[in-house]
Amino acid sequence: MAAGTEVEIEVSKLKDHPSNPVYTTSLDSESFSTDAEDQQDYVVKYLEKELGSDLKSLKNVGDLLEKLREENNVLEGQVLTVSSSVPPKVSEALSTAADAGCSLVDLLQREQFISNMLNQGAQPWMDNLGQMLNQVDTIGRHMKYLRCLQRIEELSDFEKVLTQLQWPIVTPPTQSLTPTANHQEINSQLELLVTQLLALALASCVTSTQPVSSVAPPSKGPPLCLPIQIMLLPLSRRFRYHFYGNRQTNSLSKPEWYLTQVLMWMSNSSTFMEEKIQPILERAGVTTSARVELCRGLLSLVQEKVASDASRLLYDDMLFCHLVEEVLQFEKELRCNQSYPAVLPGLLHLLLEDAILQKWLTVEKKMAVEKMDSMLSAEGAWSSQYKDISDMDELKAPDCAETFMTLLQVITERYRTLPCPSAQLKFLGLQRELVDDFRIRLTQVMKEESRCPLGVRYCAILNAVNYIYTILGDWGDNVFFLQLQQSAVSLGEEMLLGGLGVMDVGRLASLEGSLFEGLLALLDRLKGDMMGRLLEWTMREIAEKAKPYCQDRWLSLPSQYDLSTMSLSSSACPMMLCVRDRLLNLHQVLSLSLFQLAWQGLAERLDNFLYQDVILSNHFSDGGAAQLQFDMTRNLFPLFGHYCKRPENFFKHVKEACIILSLNLGSAILLRNLLKESEEEMRDWAGAGDLSPQSALHELGVYCLASCDVLILLNLRACRTGQ
């Protein structure tokens, strides 16, 4: 039993040890209680397992005990060794782990910071790289397409057939396209190849993106058909050979060289395209014009060249102007001579780039101002170039005014064809600015000449103002400017509509006014001021000559019953001569419309002068009244009869005063009584058989003078008509 007890104790120790193999292997993951009952059960089971139920096996108890002791000693040694070495290592490991954790956190923070910085700095690069990769991908596809085209060209005899047909035609054909010996075979080959190329281009459009050719137009539009692209290749090579690089033909000062060359190619090739290529396209079901397609391809070469040259000439005014002029001329010939469709872009859209358009406007203004300076200071600035041709000199515009309006007209012709209304309105604004500038210059010169309003230069300035006023008035009714007016209203152009009220803008929208109204008002005011000063000086001279006539002895002149023996009053001669000379002079130096205003204004002023200073300032005998009427009706009025049929209608006061002064005595008495009674009693003369004062005056031919004026005239008669 002692041995058994020892065995139990050893087994119990062995069981309680955590490294016991029996404990760990035989009982596995079971949970054990630490009370004695559980330990006894464990020992009993262990002994039964080792010794079994055979009593004879008890002799092995000693060996088992010894074995257990040894194992216990080994385990105790292991436990002591581990327990003494584990704490420092564990502590060191934990410390190392903590340091590693701190380092890891720091590294993670640094990694996040660097990652953020890289993302911020590299994102634009990534975006650009992405775009570049997309472009590279697109270019790659295009290169594959071009290589395909190149391979097709190598396999085809298309260019060979074109060569046999003498393509390209770079010189004017001397005769019509004459058929060669094997022309039918060549034409058949040409049609077959063109048809196959059209089919190939259609297939490529279905399976890939739009191809980019070396001669494809940069502007928006469908790509050129494949046969035309191939036909353009030799012309493109010639164009780039001559007009790029260091060739003498590539000159910035001579854009007309390449522009004219391209127009010649278009013209020379038109017959070939219409006779050879167009029928094939039509049989293939292609509605495109072969000639237009060729022009479009050639035009793309010019567009690229002009865009390049224009950007290089922004700082050279003369060469820039020359380029613009040549581009405008090219556009005109392209549309007119080559019948290039208006819906397709030419070269004008290149001039609408912001920098180029602003440069154009600046140069236009600069050169216009320089020309204004020179034209006003020229020797013949104030003389008309048509002065010796009467039927062409109605406006009598001085050379400076005509040159200025020609300058404006040239500017109009330059921007008229621009495809952008807003750009056209910018040029219109420039023209209005130039007109106002010229008006101010005319005003300054007029002030210098105002000391002598009857001089030739003063009248020339007046003609200039009237000429510009007339032309601008005509422009206001011109269809082109009316269209610009509608564009200005629809676009709300502040530069042209600034300062106008809602009503004024509405009038412009309904075409009741014009964009030149403000300028016309200023010019009309200047014209009125100048005309008033001219007539004032003329009347001052006439009044000086008329002093003897005003002081003539009208009351003492005897009666003359025979008008055939009457003659002009001697005192009236200086005045009449002055009127005649001034009318002749004004007729010679003023335009027709201005002279009409001048003689009518002079007649009005002269009528008032004679009425006030001659008639109302004197008393008249019958002879004096007759002489006055003779002087007026037989001498003064006829002076103005050269310019109208009834000149007396412009001297209403004088004419009617002569009628009253020349009444016979009885008629004068009756009229005075009638007017006097009417004035005193203020009653109606509507009774039957009775005449009203107004009716009585009308019967005499007096319509302008009032009843009170007639009474005054009756009182001026020497033979009183009653008290």
Side-chain angles (χ1 to χ4, degrees), residues 158 190-191 193-195 197-199 225-228 231 273-294:
F158 184 54
L190 178 66
E191 181 165 1
L193 292 171
V194 171
T195 305
L197 289 172
L198 290 173
C225 62
L226 188 55
I228 303 298
M231 294 179 70
M273 301 303 292
E274 291 173 352
E275 294 182 0
K276 296 293 184 181
I277 306 300
Q278 187 62 43
I280 300 175
L281 296 181
E282 292 175 353
R283 286 191 288 270
V286 179
T287 59
T288 305
S289 169
R291 181 184 58 79
V292 172
E293 283 291 277
L294 181 72

PDB file of all heavy atoms in Angstrom, residues 158 190-191 193-195 197-199 225-228 231 273-294:
ATOM      1  N   PHE A 158      -3.517  52.970-108.280  1.00  0.00           N
ATOM      2  CA  PHE A 158      -4.359  54.192-108.412  1.00  0.00           C
ATOM      3  C   PHE A 158      -3.526  55.396-108.843  1.00  0.00           C
ATOM      4  O   PHE A 158      -3.877  56.140-109.744  1.00  0.00           O
ATOM      5  CB  PHE A 158      -5.068  54.508-107.086  1.00  0.00           C
ATOM      6  CG  PHE A 158      -6.016  55.683-107.171  1.00  0.00           C
ATOM      7  CD1 PHE A 158      -7.022  55.718-108.136  1.00  0.00           C
ATOM      8  CD2 PHE A 158      -5.903  56.754-106.313  1.00  0.00           C
ATOM      9  CE1 PHE A 158      -7.903  56.790-108.220  1.00  0.00           C
ATOM     10  CE2 PHE A 158      -6.779  57.839-106.392  1.00  0.00           C
ATOM     11  CZ  PHE A 158      -7.780  57.851-107.342  1.00  0.00           C
ATOM     12  N   LEU A 190      -9.672  53.375-113.525  1.00  0.00           N
ATOM     13  CA  LEU A 190      -9.904  54.503-112.619  1.00  0.00           C
ATOM     14  C   LEU A 190     -11.221  54.330-111.867  1.00  0.00           C
ATOM     15  O   LEU A 190     -11.280  54.511-110.645  1.00  0.00           O
ATOM     16  CB  LEU A 190      -9.914  55.803-113.422  1.00  0.00           C
ATOM     17  CG  LEU A 190     -10.192  57.084-112.624  1.00  0.00           C
ATOM     18  CD1 LEU A 190      -9.058  57.350-111.646  1.00  0.00           C
ATOM     19  CD2 LEU A 190     -10.386  58.271-113.557  1.00  0.00           C
ATOM     20  N   GLU A 191     -12.271  53.950-112.593  1.00  0.00           N
ATOM     21  CA  GLU A 191     -13.568  53.782-111.931  1.00  0.00           C
ATOM     22  C   GLU A 191     -13.529  52.642-110.929  1.00  0.00           C
ATOM     23  O   GLU A 191     -14.070  52.750-109.822  1.00  0.00           O
ATOM     24  CB  GLU A 191     -14.650  53.533-112.979  1.00  0.00           C
ATOM     25  CG  GLU A 191     -16.031  53.381-112.365  1.00  0.00           C
ATOM     26  CD  GLU A 191     -17.127  53.493-113.395  1.00  0.00           C
ATOM     27  OE1 GLU A 191     -16.825  53.671-114.592  1.00  0.00           O
ATOM     28  OE2 GLU A 191     -18.311  53.421-112.998  1.00  0.00           O
ATOM     29  N   LEU A 193     -10.930  51.493-109.251  1.00  0.00           N
ATOM     30  CA  LEU A 193     -10.117  51.858-108.092  1.00  0.00           C
ATOM     31  C   LEU A 193     -10.833  52.882-107.212  1.00  0.00           C
ATOM     32  O   LEU A 193     -10.817  52.774-105.982  1.00  0.00           O
ATOM     33  CB  LEU A 193      -8.776  52.421-108.564  1.00  0.00           C
ATOM     34  CG  LEU A 193      -7.854  51.403-109.235  1.00  0.00           C
ATOM     35  CD1 LEU A 193      -6.658  52.100-109.853  1.00  0.00           C
ATOM     36  CD2 LEU A 193      -7.393  50.357-108.228  1.00  0.00           C
ATOM     37  N   VAL A 194     -11.460  53.871-107.823  1.00  0.00           N
ATOM     38  CA  VAL A 194     -12.186  54.866-107.033  1.00  0.00           C
ATOM     39  C   VAL A 194     -13.315  54.207-106.263  1.00  0.00           C
ATOM     40  O   VAL A 194     -13.532  54.489-105.078  1.00  0.00           O
ATOM     41  CB  VAL A 194     -12.724  55.985-107.948  1.00  0.00           C
ATOM     42  CG1 VAL A 194     -13.671  56.899-107.178  1.00  0.00           C
ATOM     43  CG2 VAL A 194     -11.575  56.801-108.514  1.00  0.00           C
ATOM     44  N   THR A 195     -14.026  53.274-106.927  1.00  0.00           N
ATOM     45  CA  THR A 195     -15.133  52.583-106.257  1.00  0.00           C
ATOM     46  C   THR A 195     -14.621  51.752-105.096  1.00  0.00           C
ATOM     47  O   THR A 195     -15.222  51.729-104.007  1.00  0.00           O
ATOM     48  CB  THR A 195     -15.875  51.698-107.265  1.00  0.00           C
ATOM     49  OG1 THR A 195     -16.298  52.485-108.377  1.00  0.00           O
ATOM     50  CG2 THR A 195     -17.094  51.051-106.618  1.00  0.00           C
ATOM     51  N   LEU A 197     -11.854  52.230-103.348  1.00  0.00           N
ATOM     52  CA  LEU A 197     -11.397  53.128-102.283  1.00  0.00           C
ATOM     53  C   LEU A 197     -12.572  53.704-101.512  1.00  0.00           C
ATOM     54  O   LEU A 197     -12.509  53.859-100.283  1.00  0.00           O
ATOM     55  CB  LEU A 197     -10.554  54.255-102.882  1.00  0.00           C
ATOM     56  CG  LEU A 197      -9.168  53.848-103.392  1.00  0.00           C
ATOM     57  CD1 LEU A 197      -8.510  55.006-104.127  1.00  0.00           C
ATOM     58  CD2 LEU A 197      -8.283  53.390-102.244  1.00  0.00           C
ATOM     59  N   LEU A 198     -13.656  54.013-102.210  1.00  0.00           N
ATOM     60  CA  LEU A 198     -14.847  54.498-101.513  1.00  0.00           C
ATOM     61  C   LEU A 198     -15.412  53.435-100.588  1.00  0.00           C
ATOM     62  O   LEU A 198     -15.812  53.724 -99.454  1.00  0.00           O
ATOM     63  CB  LEU A 198     -15.911  54.934-102.532  1.00  0.00           C
ATOM     64  CG  LEU A 198     -15.607  56.203-103.341  1.00  0.00           C
ATOM     65  CD1 LEU A 198     -16.657  56.407-104.422  1.00  0.00           C
ATOM     66  CD2 LEU A 198     -15.559  57.421-102.423  1.00  0.00           C
ATOM     67  N   ALA A 199     -15.430  52.172-101.070  1.00  0.00           N
ATOM     68  CA  ALA A 199     -15.923  51.080-100.228  1.00  0.00           C
ATOM     69  C   ALA A 199     -15.012  50.854 -99.034  1.00  0.00           C
ATOM     70  O   ALA A 199     -15.475  50.598 -97.914  1.00  0.00           O
ATOM     71  CB  ALA A 199     -16.039  49.800-101.064  1.00  0.00           C
ATOM     72  N   CYS A 225     -13.282  62.334 -98.894  1.00  0.00           N
ATOM     73  CA  CYS A 225     -13.368  60.946 -99.333  1.00  0.00           C
ATOM     74  C   CYS A 225     -11.969  60.459 -99.727  1.00  0.00           C
ATOM     75  O   CYS A 225     -11.112  61.235-100.164  1.00  0.00           O
ATOM     76  CB  CYS A 225     -14.358  60.797-100.481  1.00  0.00           C
ATOM     77  SG  CYS A 225     -13.932  61.702-101.978  1.00  0.00           S
ATOM     78  N   LEU A 226     -11.753  59.164 -99.566  1.00  0.00           N
ATOM     79  CA  LEU A 226     -10.416  58.599 -99.692  1.00  0.00           C
ATOM     80  C   LEU A 226      -9.770  58.842-101.055  1.00  0.00           C
ATOM     81  O   LEU A 226      -8.583  59.193-101.124  1.00  0.00           O
ATOM     82  CB  LEU A 226     -10.470  57.098 -99.379  1.00  0.00           C
ATOM     83  CG  LEU A 226      -9.133  56.378 -99.280  1.00  0.00           C
ATOM     84  CD1 LEU A 226      -8.223  57.066 -98.273  1.00  0.00           C
ATOM     85  CD2 LEU A 226      -9.353  54.916 -98.902  1.00  0.00           C
ATOM     86  N   PRO A 227     -10.477  58.699-102.167  1.00  0.00           N
ATOM     87  CA  PRO A 227      -9.816  58.981-103.458  1.00  0.00           C
ATOM     88  C   PRO A 227      -9.307  60.419-103.555  1.00  0.00           C
ATOM     89  O   PRO A 227      -8.219  60.657-104.092  1.00  0.00           O
ATOM     90  CB  PRO A 227     -10.932  58.719-104.479  1.00  0.00           C
ATOM     91  CG  PRO A 227     -11.877  57.792-103.801  1.00  0.00           C
ATOM     92  CD  PRO A 227     -11.844  58.168-102.356  1.00  0.00           C
ATOM     93  N   ILE A 228     -10.083  61.380-103.023  1.00  0.00           N
ATOM     94  CA  ILE A 228      -9.649  62.780-103.071  1.00  0.00           C
ATOM     95  C   ILE A 228      -8.419  62.981-102.202  1.00  0.00           C
ATOM     96  O   ILE A 228      -7.504  63.735-102.552  1.00  0.00           O
ATOM     97  CB  ILE A 228     -10.795  63.710-102.632  1.00  0.00           C
ATOM     98  CG1 ILE A 228     -12.025  63.495-103.512  1.00  0.00           C
ATOM     99  CG2 ILE A 228     -10.351  65.167-102.680  1.00  0.00           C
ATOM    100  CD1 ILE A 228     -11.822  63.816-104.963  1.00  0.00           C
ATOM    101  N   MET A 231      -5.546  61.853-104.184  1.00  0.00           N
ATOM    102  CA  MET A 231      -5.271  62.781-105.277  1.00  0.00           C
ATOM    103  C   MET A 231      -4.620  64.064-104.779  1.00  0.00           C
ATOM    104  O   MET A 231      -3.887  64.734-105.524  1.00  0.00           O
ATOM    105  CB  MET A 231      -6.575  63.119-106.008  1.00  0.00           C
ATOM    106  CG  MET A 231      -7.204  61.936-106.736  1.00  0.00           C
ATOM    107  SD  MET A 231      -8.752  62.367-107.560  1.00  0.00           S
ATOM    108  CE  MET A 231      -8.146  63.404-108.878  1.00  0.00           C
ATOM    109  N   MET A 273     -11.793  67.135-112.606  1.00  0.00           N
ATOM    110  CA  MET A 273     -12.654  66.614-111.542  1.00  0.00           C
ATOM    111  C   MET A 273     -14.087  66.425-112.034  1.00  0.00           C
ATOM    112  O   MET A 273     -14.748  65.440-111.682  1.00  0.00           O
ATOM    113  CB  MET A 273     -12.626  67.555-110.336  1.00  0.00           C
ATOM    114  CG  MET A 273     -11.252  67.771-109.733  1.00  0.00           C
ATOM    115  SD  MET A 273     -10.449  66.248-109.206  1.00  0.00           S
ATOM    116  CE  MET A 273     -11.499  65.760-107.838  1.00  0.00           C
ATOM    117  N   GLU A 274     -14.556  67.344-112.856  1.00  0.00           N
ATOM    118  CA  GLU A 274     -15.943  67.263-113.321  1.00  0.00           C
ATOM    119  C   GLU A 274     -16.126  66.209-114.406  1.00  0.00           C
ATOM    120  O   GLU A 274     -17.173  65.558-114.468  1.00  0.00           O
ATOM    121  CB  GLU A 274     -16.385  68.630-113.838  1.00  0.00           C
ATOM    122  CG  GLU A 274     -16.524  69.676-112.729  1.00  0.00           C
ATOM    123  CD  GLU A 274     -16.800  71.061-113.284  1.00  0.00           C
ATOM    124  OE1 GLU A 274     -16.722  71.221-114.517  1.00  0.00           O
ATOM    125  OE2 GLU A 274     -17.092  71.971-112.484  1.00  0.00           O
ATOM    126  N   GLU A 275     -15.109  66.023-115.254  1.00  0.00           N
ATOM    127  CA  GLU A 275     -15.255  65.081-116.356  1.00  0.00           C
ATOM    128  C   GLU A 275     -14.827  63.668-115.991  1.00  0.00           C
ATOM    129  O   GLU A 275     -15.403  62.699-116.506  1.00  0.00           O
ATOM    130  CB  GLU A 275     -14.443  65.560-117.561  1.00  0.00           C
ATOM    131  CG  GLU A 275     -14.957  66.857-118.174  1.00  0.00           C
ATOM    132  CD  GLU A 275     -14.170  67.268-119.392  1.00  0.00           C
ATOM    133  OE1 GLU A 275     -13.216  66.531-119.766  1.00  0.00           O
ATOM    134  OE2 GLU A 275     -14.484  68.320-119.994  1.00  0.00           O
ATOM    135  N   LYS A 276     -13.851  63.521-115.128  1.00  0.00           N
ATOM    136  CA  LYS A 276     -13.306  62.197-114.832  1.00  0.00           C
ATOM    137  C   LYS A 276     -13.820  61.617-113.513  1.00  0.00           C
ATOM    138  O   LYS A 276     -14.180  60.435-113.449  1.00  0.00           O
ATOM    139  CB  LYS A 276     -11.771  62.266-114.796  1.00  0.00           C
ATOM    140  CG  LYS A 276     -11.127  62.629-116.116  1.00  0.00           C
ATOM    141  CD  LYS A 276     -11.322  61.528-117.158  1.00  0.00           C
ATOM    142  CE  LYS A 276     -10.579  61.865-118.449  1.00  0.00           C
ATOM    143  NZ  LYS A 276     -10.782  60.821-119.483  1.00  0.00           N
ATOM    144  N   ILE A 277     -13.824  62.410-112.468  1.00  0.00           N
ATOM    145  CA  ILE A 277     -14.114  61.879-111.132  1.00  0.00           C
ATOM    146  C   ILE A 277     -15.594  61.982-110.783  1.00  0.00           C
ATOM    147  O   ILE A 277     -16.174  61.049-110.217  1.00  0.00           O
ATOM    148  CB  ILE A 277     -13.263  62.607-110.073  1.00  0.00           C
ATOM    149  CG1 ILE A 277     -11.785  62.535-110.449  1.00  0.00           C
ATOM    150  CG2 ILE A 277     -13.486  62.006-108.700  1.00  0.00           C
ATOM    151  CD1 ILE A 277     -11.235  61.132-110.546  1.00  0.00           C
ATOM    152  N   GLN A 278     -16.224  63.096-111.139  1.00  0.00           N
ATOM    153  CA  GLN A 278     -17.621  63.308-110.735  1.00  0.00           C
ATOM    154  C   GLN A 278     -18.562  62.216-111.251  1.00  0.00           C
ATOM    155  O   GLN A 278     -19.395  61.721-110.486  1.00  0.00           O
ATOM    156  CB  GLN A 278     -18.087  64.692-111.205  1.00  0.00           C
ATOM    157  CG  GLN A 278     -19.463  65.090-110.691  1.00  0.00           C
ATOM    158  CD  GLN A 278     -19.506  65.194-109.181  1.00  0.00           C
ATOM    159  OE1 GLN A 278     -18.591  65.733-108.578  1.00  0.00           O
ATOM    160  NE2 GLN A 278     -20.552  64.664-108.588  1.00  0.00           N
ATOM    161  N   PRO A 279     -18.469  61.780-112.518  1.00  0.00           N
ATOM    162  CA  PRO A 279     -19.369  60.707-112.968  1.00  0.00           C
ATOM    163  C   PRO A 279     -19.195  59.417-112.179  1.00  0.00           C
ATOM    164  O   PRO A 279     -20.172  58.708-111.914  1.00  0.00           O
ATOM    165  CB  PRO A 279     -18.992  60.522-114.440  1.00  0.00           C
ATOM    166  CG  PRO A 279     -18.385  61.827-114.850  1.00  0.00           C
ATOM    167  CD  PRO A 279     -17.662  62.317-113.637  1.00  0.00           C
ATOM    168  N   ILE A 280     -17.969  59.102-111.789  1.00  0.00           N
ATOM    169  CA  ILE A 280     -17.727  57.876-111.013  1.00  0.00           C
ATOM    170  C   ILE A 280     -18.386  57.988-109.645  1.00  0.00           C
ATOM    171  O   ILE A 280     -19.017  57.030-109.161  1.00  0.00           O
ATOM    172  CB  ILE A 280     -16.211  57.635-110.881  1.00  0.00           C
ATOM    173  CG1 ILE A 280     -15.569  57.482-112.264  1.00  0.00           C
ATOM    174  CG2 ILE A 280     -15.937  56.411-110.020  1.00  0.00           C
ATOM    175  CD1 ILE A 280     -14.060  57.350-112.234  1.00  0.00           C
ATOM    176  N   LEU A 281     -18.241  59.152-109.005  1.00  0.00           N
ATOM    177  CA  LEU A 281     -18.874  59.346-107.697  1.00  0.00           C
ATOM    178  C   LEU A 281     -20.389  59.217-107.794  1.00  0.00           C
ATOM    179  O   LEU A 281     -21.036  58.627-106.923  1.00  0.00           O
ATOM    180  CB  LEU A 281     -18.492  60.714-107.127  1.00  0.00           C
ATOM    181  CG  LEU A 281     -17.015  60.953-106.815  1.00  0.00           C
ATOM    182  CD1 LEU A 281     -16.820  62.349-106.233  1.00  0.00           C
ATOM    183  CD2 LEU A 281     -16.479  59.911-105.848  1.00  0.00           C
ATOM    184  N   GLU A 282     -20.964  59.768-108.857  1.00  0.00           N
ATOM    185  CA  GLU A 282     -22.414  59.706-109.012  1.00  0.00           C
ATOM    186  C   GLU A 282     -22.885  58.276-109.226  1.00  0.00           C
ATOM    187  O   GLU A 282     -23.906  57.862-108.654  1.00  0.00           O
ATOM    188  CB  GLU A 282     -22.843  60.592-110.184  1.00  0.00           C
ATOM    189  CG  GLU A 282     -22.638  62.080-109.908  1.00  0.00           C
ATOM    190  CD  GLU A 282     -22.960  62.934-111.112  1.00  0.00           C
ATOM    191  OE1 GLU A 282     -23.220  62.357-112.197  1.00  0.00           O
ATOM    192  OE2 GLU A 282     -22.931  64.178-110.985  1.00  0.00           O
ATOM    193  N   ARG A 283     -22.130  57.496-110.039  1.00  0.00           N
ATOM    194  CA  ARG A 283     -22.521  56.096-110.238  1.00  0.00           C
ATOM    195  C   ARG A 283     -22.349  55.278-108.969  1.00  0.00           C
ATOM    196  O   ARG A 283     -23.031  54.268-108.777  1.00  0.00           O
ATOM    197  CB  ARG A 283     -21.702  55.489-111.380  1.00  0.00           C
ATOM    198  CG  ARG A 283     -22.134  55.979-112.755  1.00  0.00           C
ATOM    199  CD  ARG A 283     -21.498  55.155-113.858  1.00  0.00           C
ATOM    200  NE  ARG A 283     -20.076  55.432-113.986  1.00  0.00           N
ATOM    201  CZ  ARG A 283     -19.567  56.367-114.780  1.00  0.00           C
ATOM    202  NH1 ARG A 283     -20.384  57.136-115.510  1.00  0.00           N
ATOM    203  NH2 ARG A 283     -18.270  56.558-114.857  1.00  0.00           N
ATOM    204  N   ALA A 284     -21.441  55.725-108.091  1.00  0.00           N
ATOM    205  CA  ALA A 284     -21.232  55.018-106.815  1.00  0.00           C
ATOM    206  C   ALA A 284     -22.221  55.465-105.745  1.00  0.00           C
ATOM    207  O   ALA A 284     -22.163  54.979-104.611  1.00  0.00           O
ATOM    208  CB  ALA A 284     -19.806  55.232-106.330  1.00  0.00           C
ATOM    209  N   GLY A 285     -23.103  56.398-106.085  1.00  0.00           N
ATOM    210  CA  GLY A 285     -24.102  56.855-105.123  1.00  0.00           C
ATOM    211  C   GLY A 285     -23.599  57.898-104.153  1.00  0.00           C
ATOM    212  O   GLY A 285     -24.227  58.155-103.122  1.00  0.00           O
ATOM    213  N   VAL A 286     -22.469  58.521-104.487  1.00  0.00           N
ATOM    214  CA  VAL A 286     -21.908  59.570-103.636  1.00  0.00           C
ATOM    215  C   VAL A 286     -22.395  60.914-104.163  1.00  0.00           C
ATOM    216  O   VAL A 286     -22.214  61.240-105.342  1.00  0.00           O
ATOM    217  CB  VAL A 286     -20.370  59.519-103.628  1.00  0.00           C
ATOM    218  CG1 VAL A 286     -19.806  60.633-102.763  1.00  0.00           C
ATOM    219  CG2 VAL A 286     -19.897  58.169-103.116  1.00  0.00           C
ATOM    220  N   THR A 287     -23.038  61.690-103.279  1.00  0.00           N
ATOM    221  CA  THR A 287     -23.610  62.977-103.688  1.00  0.00           C
ATOM    222  C   THR A 287     -22.624  64.132-103.586  1.00  0.00           C
ATOM    223  O   THR A 287     -22.962  65.270-103.878  1.00  0.00           O
ATOM    224  CB  THR A 287     -24.838  63.294-102.827  1.00  0.00           C
ATOM    225  OG1 THR A 287     -24.448  63.334-101.447  1.00  0.00           O
ATOM    226  CG2 THR A 287     -25.928  62.242-103.024  1.00  0.00           C
ATOM    227  N   THR A 288     -21.408  63.852-103.178  1.00  0.00           N
ATOM    228  CA  THR A 288     -20.407  64.905-103.003  1.00  0.00           C
ATOM    229  C   THR A 288     -19.925  65.414-104.352  1.00  0.00           C
ATOM    230  O   THR A 288     -19.799  64.654-105.312  1.00  0.00           O
ATOM    231  CB  THR A 288     -19.216  64.363-102.193  1.00  0.00           C
ATOM    232  OG1 THR A 288     -19.688  63.825-100.979  1.00  0.00           O
ATOM    233  CG2 THR A 288     -18.215  65.459-101.897  1.00  0.00           C
ATOM    234  N   SER A 289     -19.628  66.731-104.399  1.00  0.00           N
ATOM    235  CA  SER A 289     -19.034  67.314-105.593  1.00  0.00           C
ATOM    236  C   SER A 289     -17.530  67.095-105.562  1.00  0.00           C
ATOM    237  O   SER A 289     -16.851  67.486-104.606  1.00  0.00           O
ATOM    238  CB  SER A 289     -19.349  68.809-105.672  1.00  0.00           C
ATOM    239  OG  SER A 289     -18.573  69.435-106.667  1.00  0.00           O
ATOM    240  N   ALA A 290     -17.022  66.452-106.596  1.00  0.00           N
ATOM    241  CA  ALA A 290     -15.583  66.168-106.642  1.00  0.00           C
ATOM    242  C   ALA A 290     -14.772  67.454-106.670  1.00  0.00           C
ATOM    243  O   ALA A 290     -13.727  67.556-106.010  1.00  0.00           O
ATOM    244  CB  ALA A 290     -15.265  65.312-107.868  1.00  0.00           C
ATOM    245  N   ARG A 291     -15.242  68.440-107.432  1.00  0.00           N
ATOM    246  CA  ARG A 291     -14.512  69.702-107.517  1.00  0.00           C
ATOM    247  C   ARG A 291     -14.490  70.411-106.165  1.00  0.00           C
ATOM    248  O   ARG A 291     -13.454  70.941-105.745  1.00  0.00           O
ATOM    249  CB  ARG A 291     -15.172  70.601-108.566  1.00  0.00           C
ATOM    250  CG  ARG A 291     -14.494  71.938-108.767  1.00  0.00           C
ATOM    251  CD  ARG A 291     -15.258  72.793-109.755  1.00  0.00           C
ATOM    252  NE  ARG A 291     -16.622  73.006-109.328  1.00  0.00           N
ATOM    253  CZ  ARG A 291     -16.977  73.901-108.400  1.00  0.00           C
ATOM    254  NH1 ARG A 291     -16.058  74.658-107.820  1.00  0.00           N
ATOM    255  NH2 ARG A 291     -18.233  74.040-108.059  1.00  0.00           N
ATOM    256  N   VAL A 292     -15.619  70.439-105.470  1.00  0.00           N
ATOM    257  CA  VAL A 292     -15.675  71.082-104.157  1.00  0.00           C
ATOM    258  C   VAL A 292     -14.801  70.347-103.155  1.00  0.00           C
ATOM    259  O   VAL A 292     -14.123  70.968-102.321  1.00  0.00           O
ATOM    260  CB  VAL A 292     -17.133  71.158-103.666  1.00  0.00           C
ATOM    261  CG1 VAL A 292     -17.190  71.633-102.221  1.00  0.00           C
ATOM    262  CG2 VAL A 292     -17.942  72.085-104.556  1.00  0.00           C
ATOM    263  N   GLU A 293     -14.790  69.012-103.237  1.00  0.00           N
ATOM    264  CA  GLU A 293     -13.955  68.240-102.326  1.00  0.00           C
ATOM    265  C   GLU A 293     -12.478  68.548-102.529  1.00  0.00           C
ATOM    266  O   GLU A 293     -11.716  68.689-101.565  1.00  0.00           O
ATOM    267  CB  GLU A 293     -14.203  66.736-102.533  1.00  0.00           C
ATOM    268  CG  GLU A 293     -15.478  66.222-101.932  1.00  0.00           C
ATOM    269  CD  GLU A 293     -15.445  66.221-100.423  1.00  0.00           C
ATOM    270  OE1 GLU A 293     -14.904  65.274 -99.835  1.00  0.00           O
ATOM    271  OE2 GLU A 293     -15.943  67.181 -99.815  1.00  0.00           O
ATOM    272  N   LEU A 294     -12.065  68.668-103.784  1.00  0.00           N
ATOM    273  CA  LEU A 294     -10.670  69.013-104.053  1.00  0.00           C
ATOM    274  C   LEU A 294     -10.361  70.409-103.527  1.00  0.00           C
ATOM    275  O   LEU A 294      -9.305  70.635-102.909  1.00  0.00           O
ATOM    276  CB  LEU A 294     -10.401  68.940-105.551  1.00  0.00           C
ATOM    277  CG  LEU A 294      -8.955  69.258-105.956  1.00  0.00           C
ATOM    278  CD1 LEU A 294      -8.034  68.126-105.538  1.00  0.00           C
ATOM    279  CD2 LEU A 294      -8.852  69.501-107.455  1.00  0.00           C
TER     280      LEU A 294
END
